[in-house]
Amino acid sequence: MQWNRRDILASGLAAAAMLAAGPSRAQAASTIRVGHITDMSGVYRDVEGPTSVACAQQAIDEFTAQNPGIRVELLVADHQNKADIGLSIIRQWFDQGGVDVLTNVGNSSVALGAKDLVEARDKVSIVTSAGSSDLTGKACSANTLHWSWDSWCLAHSTATSLVKTGGDKWFFVTADYAFGHAAQADATRFVEGAGGKVLGSVRYPYGSTTDFTSFLLQARRSGANVIAFANSGTDLINCLKQAQEFGLSRGGVRMAAMVGYVTDVLGMGLPVAKGLTLTETFYWDLNDRTRAFMERIRPKLPAGTFPNMSQAGDYSGLLHYLKAVKELGVEKAKASGRETVAMMKRLPTDDDAFGLGSIRADGRKIHPAYLFQVKPPEESRQVGDIYKLVSTVGAEEAFRPIADGGCPITRS
């Protein structure tokens, strides 16, 4: 379904969210049109959804304030976590709506499925919420950039650290789709590489249940000392709530999220999430620059809402895209997504959400990753103060080496 204009405006965002008859030819020729496709109504609404739209709008507002001669419009749609719906919207946007760049583009099935469409129409796709590391591996593209994080990055940081500190027997509860498969596969490789073992796993159709009892009982019977959740959103929240009900953590079992967000932790509360280990590449309270970004975005968000790494990536990725548009000129940028992506790769990245960084030849955005542990309630000073920084993985080590990805466009 299309996210309607009334709902967008009700959340305080000056965004055009419907195709209608499309812009006039003159306006379309001089306006960059951003198609933000995300989960506005499903299990990942809180980790993508309205906050991701706010972050994209923040990038537009900041850029156009400094560059009033470049017009930028934001369209928003709900893919409903269904690849066929997502691809239908994207096709319509490209063929009838004059869209130049896709943002957010979760989940992994939508992002991977959009690859051929984006290439055929020579547009740009900036993926922030889909996690499959294939997006910069065998499914890489000269038209696609993978921002914020991926399954390899999170698995590498979280799994290696936990095994080194005694968490050497793992059991996976995995959402049965592209990201879940990639996250489990990546984490398994790092667990085994560090000397640990995977004792078992279970897969389920994501969004299909709120009762994870049988899966957690399997994990407990396996003898694992780490239960790893390769899911996100409300599924992850329900898993952790039920794990607390069973007292699994009191039995010495550690809980690890293969992808976890500040939004997840706030949704379940610190009494449930305390001790959870996870990796994010952005945290609002990490440093002075991230706090400055938070202050600017705060008026667009409901009270008590804090962007996660994917949502911050929607700000960061779109802002960098618009900088490349300025360098090329609107006409050239609209004429070729490949040329625009090439310019984005040439320009160093720099914003308050992620700091200094770069984009590799395979389309991977590079920046540090941070291993966090969720604070117990008594250590939290204010709403949003939820993480203790455990370790930092530098930008050059945080993501899979380009030579190991098998990206066809990097081969000489």
Side-chain angles (χ1 to χ4, degrees), residues 171-245:
F171 188 98
F172 286 92
V173 177
T174 300
D176 191 9
Y177 72 111
F179 162 72
H181 301 170
Q184 180 177 336
D186 286 336
T188 296
R189 184 165 63 253
F190 295 123
V191 167
E192 293 175 347
K197 296 180 180 180
V198 174
L199 302 183
S201 66
V202 62
R203 291 181 177 179
Y204 68 96
Y206 70 93
S208 63
T209 183
T210 59
D211 184 2
F212 294 88
T213 302
S214 64
F215 307 149
L216 294 170
L217 291 176
Q218 287 182 57
R220 182 163 63 181
R221 288 194 297 267
S222 74
N225 55 22
V226 175
I227 301 178
F229 301 102
N231 56 13
S232 187
T234 55
D235 282 3
L236 175 62
I237 292 171
N238 286 328
C239 282
L240 288 167
K241 284 181 177 178
Q242 291 161 33
Q244 289 285 3
E245 291 170 4

Side-chain angles (χ1 to χ4, degrees), residues 83 87 90-91 107-118 135:
L87 297 182
I90 292 169
R91 186 177 293 107
N107 53 46
S108 293
S109 60
V110 176
L112 290 165
K115 173 181 178 289
D116 291 342
L117 270 175
V118 175
L135 286 160

Side-chain angles (χ1 to χ4, degrees), residues 109-130:
S109 60
V110 176
L112 290 165
K115 173 181 178 289
D116 291 342
L117 270 175
V118 175
E119 289 180 338
R121 306 308 195 272
D122 197 11
K123 304 294 186 176
V124 177
S125 178
I126 305 174
V127 181
T128 62
S129 57

Side-chain angles (χ1 to χ4, degrees), residues 387-411:
Y387 285 153
K388 293 187 288 187
L389 179 62
V390 176
S391 63
T392 299
V393 181
E396 295 306 315
E397 292 78 39
F399 294 92
R400 178 180 59 201
I402 194 169
D404 296 345
C407 172
I409 64 174
T410 64
R411 296 170 184 163

Side-chain angles (χ1 to χ4, degrees), residues 12 59 65 125 129 150 157 161 185 212 275 299 351:
S125 178
S129 57
D150 61 33
S157 173
S161 175
F212 294 88
D351 59 77

Side-chain angles (χ1 to χ4, degrees), residues 155-173:
H156 174 252
S157 173
T158 303
T160 302
S161 175
L162 279 174
V163 173
K164 287 181 178 178
T165 55
D168 57 351
K169 299 180 181 67
W170 285 55
F171 188 98
F172 286 92
V173 177

Side-chain angles (χ1 to χ4, degrees), residues 95-158:
D95 295 345
Q96 301 175 35
V99 164
D100 303 294
V101 56
L102 300 176
T103 53
N104 199 264
V105 208
N107 53 46
S108 293
S109 60
V110 176
L112 290 165
K115 173 181 178 289
D116 291 342
L117 270 175
V118 175
E119 289 180 338
R121 306 308 195 272
D122 197 11
K123 304 294 186 176
V124 177
S125 178
I126 305 174
V127 181
T128 62
S129 57
S132 175
S133 55
D134 285 347
L135 286 160
T136 53
K138 63 184 181 182
C140 72
S141 168
N143 294 74
T144 297
L145 299 174
H146 203 182
W147 224 263
S148 301
W149 61 279
D150 61 33
S151 56
W152 193 100
C153 166
L154 303 193
H156 174 252
S157 173
T158 303

